[in-house]
Amino acid sequence: MTQPSSPTHRPSIAIVGLGGIGGAAAGLLARTGRYDVTACVRRSLDRLFVEGPDGVFDVPLRSFTDPAAVKPVDWVLLCTKTHETDSAGAWLRRLCTASTTVAALQNGIDHQERIAPFVNGATIVPVLVYYNGERLAQDRVRYKPVSANELVTTEDAGGKAFADLMQPTPLHVLTSADFVTLKWRKLLINAAANPMTALTLQRQAVLRRPDIYALCLEVLAEAAKVGRAEGAALTDDEPERIMNSLMTFSPELGTSMYFDRLAGKPFEVEALTGAIVAAGKRHGIATPVNAVLLTLLRAISEENAKVAR
Ligand SMILES: NC(=O)c1ccc[n+]([C@@H]2O[C@H](COP(=O)([O-])OP(=O)(O)OC[C@H]3O[C@@H](n4cnc5c(N)ncnc54)[C@H](OP(=O)(O)O)[C@@H]3O)[C@@H](O)[C@H]2O)c1
């Protein structure tokens, strides 16, 4: 492999998880022509169509379906759902060395702990995603920016390198010295909207019911207390601010947990509600409302996982 310092070096990037998020990132990176982009997938493809705000484009994309066939790369973008990280481990073990950087475009707060066992000492860069991505077909994705910065990461060497990598694409990266606060804010949004929509099988309109709204405030008050103990600079009125922000979303929107439940798939329980309850235990902070939600969500998600096997 050519060394990254070489002026002729063309960085290699493997995308693991070519869904809504990974597909958009793969297509936009490949379109720059600057990188050697490959997709690690379960069904092969050789071209990817991307629908975005500026229309549709398509790019050739090399894909692999067998982890044994891949070699170490400079960059991995891990874009599976959080509960699919273990199954992506076979790819990560083959793609990563200590010189690789793995950008984890996944929800949750525990990117480092979740991914470290699989990456042979590679650098891990946690990334929060702020664009909507949807896989429309095996070879087609649609993405929609919903915020000034589509990706948010840490303001260290890894985070800055990731921002440089994405710079030629339309996906803007914000690097933040207070990533811990931003990741908890994102967790709070998800921890209110996802369980309520998945458990009631109703879209975000359900959050406008006074009883569900009040329940969300309880969920968020517990979560914010835990987040503060973890070092997040969350304000006293954070729950109200999160709910105000959720009220600006269209009531017709679903959530990923809602869509996964509709599809009979397992969903990101442990990375969202589970992470709040686990962090609460670490700090001796009671989270009874989140614990009830966690029990109910696990019962559904784990049953879906058994049926899907
Ligand atoms: N979508 C959004 O708008 C959005 C927004 C913010 C944050 N996020 C977060 O971003 C992350 C990715 O979400 P997503 O919506 O892109 O998920 P997704 O559409 O479900 O895509 C995940 C992809 O990973 C693939 N995959 C799973 N295990 C694999 C394995 N072992 N080997 C190869 N491929 C594997 C799946 O392949 P198959 O197709 O073969 O199942 C699927 O295409 C999640 O943490 C999510 O919460 C998503």
Side-chain angles (χ1 to χ4, degrees):
M1 196 169 67
T2 319
Q3 288 311 302
S5 54
S6 153
T8 56
H9 180 66
R10 189 177 156 82
S12 50
I13 308 174
I15 313 290
V16 180
L18 202 74
I21 297 308
L28 293 167
L29 284 162
R31 188 175 61 161
T32 68
R34 298 190 191 188
Y35 305 119
D36 177 11
V37 181
T38 54
C40 301
V41 291
R42 296 195 267 220
R43 278 187 301 144
S44 71
L45 73 164
D46 53 22
R47 204 160 191 87
L48 182 67
F49 292 79
V50 180
E51 296 182 16
D54 303 325
V56 187
F57 68 88
D58 60 298
V59 280
L61 190 66
R62 197 155 54 113
S63 67
F64 290 99
T65 54
D66 179 4
V70 298
K71 296 205 160 34
V73 291
D74 299 317
W75 281 89
V76 175
L77 267 54
L78 176 63
C79 307
T80 65
K81 291 270 170 62
T82 51
H83 54 270
E84 296 167 327
T85 305
D86 286 11
S87 86
W91 290 110
L92 296 173
R93 286 193 185 93
R94 297 281 305 183
L95 292 164
C96 295
T97 68
S99 313
T100 304
T101 304
V102 181
L105 280 66
Q106 290 184 322
N107 269 337
I109 54 170
D110 301 322
H111 304 75
Q112 187 79 32
E113 295 78 357
R114 186 162 55 236
I115 296 155
F118 307 107
V119 299
N120 305 320
T123 301
I124 296 169
V125 178
V127 183
L128 307 175
V129 179
Y130 287 94
Y131 60 90
N132 287 331
E134 195 182 345
R135 171 92 166 263
L136 303 171
Q138 168 67 4
D139 62 352
R140 195 175 193 97
V141 292
R142 177 166 56 211
Y143 82 98
K144 197 164 112 198
V146 290
S147 155
N149 299 293
E150 284 78 32
L151 299 162
V152 175
T153 186
T154 47
E155 200 176 71
D156 52 14
K160 286 179 184 164
F162 178 67
D164 288 345
L165 186 83
M166 301 307 292
Q167 195 277 327
T169 78
L171 299 177
H172 297 112
V173 180
L174 172 73
T175 59
S176 170
D178 191 12
F179 185 74
V180 67
T181 299
L182 299 186
K183 76 178 180 181
W184 270 88
R185 283 220 173 97
K186 178 97 205 274
L187 180 64
L188 259 53
I189 292 242
N190 280 323
N194 277 278
M196 299 306 163
T197 53
L199 288 169
T200 62
L201 275 179
Q202 296 179 46
R203 291 178 182 245
Q204 297 216 14
V206 76
L207 306 181
R208 288 165 165 78
R209 284 179 58 101
D211 49 1
I212 297 287
Y213 191 104
L215 186 56
C216 285
L217 285 175
E218 287 186 53
V219 167
L220 292 170
E222 285 180 8
K225 204 168 167 190
V226 177
R228 279 183 214 109
E230 291 267 295
L234 301 174
T235 56
D236 288 345
D237 64 349
E238 202 76 42
E240 289 76 13
R241 287 163 59 147
I242 296 285
M243 290 312 291
N244 286 343
S245 155
L246 281 168
M247 292 303 108
T248 66
F249 294 7
S250 162
E252 294 308 313
L253 281 181
T255 63
S256 69
M257 218 180 247
Y258 166 84
F259 289 119
D260 281 341
R261 185 176 177 200
L262 268 188
K265 294 178 174 175
F267 33 79
E268 293 183 311
V269 184
E270 302 304 332
L272 303 181
T273 308
I276 293 164
V277 173
K281 280 193 184 135
R282 284 200 297 276
H283 294 282
I285 296 171
T287 56
V289 181
N290 281 281
V292 168
L293 296 182
L294 180 59
T295 301
L296 295 171
L297 292 167
R298 270 184 184 154
I300 302 166
S301 181
E302 289 175 13
E303 198 54 33
N304 287 355
K306 276 189 217 157
V307 175
R309 243 175 242 142

